[in-house]
Amino acid sequence: MRFGVVEDDDDVGDALVEVLEEYGYRAERKSRGADLLLGHRNYDAVILDLGLPDGDGLDVLRKLREVSTVPVVILTARDDERSVVRGLRIGADDYLVKPPRVAELIARLEAVVRRANPVDHAGADRVVVTGDVRVDLGAREVTVGDARVDLTQKEFELVEVLVSRPGCAVSREMLMDQVWGDAFLAVSRSLDVHISTLRGKLGRPGLITTIRGFGYRWGS
C-alpha cells in the first residue's frame, strides 16, 4: 500500500514517512493541501493534517470528497469536539490527535483501507444490465440489443464510472477526476462533448440523465 502524508511540519512529516516505511509501506510526504488534490489518485489512503500553509485541512477534505473516496485519517493537534465532529461529517474516515501511538496509527490506517476495499471475487467479471443495454466491465464491452457499440477509451471509462452508481447522480468533478485524472485541471467542456457523443452511440434517450448544476446519472 502507498500512503500520502500531508503535513507541513518537516520533522513530523519525515517521522511519519519513516515509520510507515519501517512497517513495509510506501509513503510520500506533501506539505500543501493543493498537492493532495492534484495527486490523491496515487495513494491507497491519506494522513491529513489540518493546519496547512495553503488553507485549512477541513476545506481540503471537503474538496477532496467532491472527487474521491480515498480513505483519509486526520492527524492533527486539534482535539476539540467541534473539530472532530466536523472532520468526520465532512468525510474523514478516522480522526487522531497528535502525537499518535504508532501501532494505533498503523492499525487505523489498515482498517480504513480494508473498509474501502472489501473483497469482491466477482468484481472483474461484473456485468451491469439496464434495459437492453449490457455493460461488461471485465471485457470492457457495451452492447445495445444484440449489437456491440464501439466506444473510445474515454467513453467507456465514463460509462464505467456511471454504471458503478446506477440510479445515483455522479458529479461532474468526480467524472472528470476518474476519467481525465484531475478534476481541478480537466477541461469541463470536454466532458460535455464526450457525454453527447456517448449518448449518440448508445441511442437510448434517457439512459444518461443530466442533473443540472451537478452532473449525470445512469438509469432511473
Side-chain angles (χ1 to χ4, degrees):
M1 288 186 287
R2 185 175 185 184
F3 295 119
V5 178
V6 187
E7 169 64 63
D8 69 323
D9 185 292
D10 291 338
D11 292 335
V12 175
D14 292 344
L16 287 170
V17 169
E18 183 177 347
V19 165
L20 290 168
E21 291 180 344
E22 286 178 356
Y23 274 77
Y25 298 116
R26 290 182 295 164
E28 183 177 48
R29 183 192 158 218
K30 302 291 186 181
S31 60
R32 303 185 312 141
D35 296 329
L36 173 62
L37 295 177
L38 294 175
H40 64 86
R41 291 165 62 89
N42 298 324
Y43 309 123
D44 296 295
V46 173
I47 298 173
L48 177 65
D49 186 22
L50 297 185
L52 299 175
D54 60 339
D56 190 282
L58 292 176
D59 293 330
V60 173
L61 177 60
R62 186 179 293 107
K63 292 178 181 178
L64 179 66
R65 282 295 174 253
E66 293 177 0
V67 300
S68 175
T69 58
V70 62
V72 173
V73 174
I74 290 177
L75 180 60
T76 180
R78 299 183 197 173
D79 59 357
D80 60 286
E81 183 180 18
R82 182 170 180 271
S83 293
V84 175
V85 171
R86 286 186 64 202
L88 294 173
R89 284 182 172 170
I90 289 172
D93 296 87
D94 210 336
Y95 193 111
L96 287 173
V97 176
K98 296 176 180 177
R101 291 175 291 190
V102 172
E104 180 182 0
L105 172 63
I106 298 297
R108 287 177 180 269
L109 283 169
E110 292 172 343
V112 298
V113 172
R114 283 198 304 272
R115 289 197 298 268
N117 299 281
V119 176
D120 182 7
H121 297 291
D125 301 320
R126 192 158 64 95
V127 174
V128 179
V129 178
T130 309
D132 66 344
V133 179
R134 183 177 186 272
V135 180
D136 188 327
L137 296 173
R140 296 181 68 84
E141 291 182 353
V142 176
T143 56
V144 177
D146 296 323
R148 177 177 172 176
V149 180
D150 291 324
L151 301 180
T152 65
Q153 179 178 334
K154 284 283 192 293
E155 289 165 354
F156 183 84
E157 289 173 353
L158 282 170
V159 170
E160 190 173 23
V161 177
L162 288 168
V163 301
S164 69
R165 302 167 180 80
C168 297
V170 180
S171 72
R172 297 174 61 86
E173 289 80 9
M174 180 168 287
L175 284 165
M176 288 188 289
D177 187 80
Q178 294 293 316
V179 176
W180 279 269
D182 192 344
F184 303 97
L185 294 179
V187 178
S188 181
R189 178 59 181 161
S190 184
L191 171 61
D192 299 325
V193 172
H194 277 76
I195 289 288
S196 177
T197 303
L198 181 58
R199 283 169 166 161
K201 288 185 176 182
L202 295 173
R204 292 294 181 269
L207 179 62
I208 300 176
T209 304
T210 299
I211 309 300
R212 188 173 298 277
F214 183 79
Y216 298 94
R217 180 180 63 225
W218 180 276
S220 57

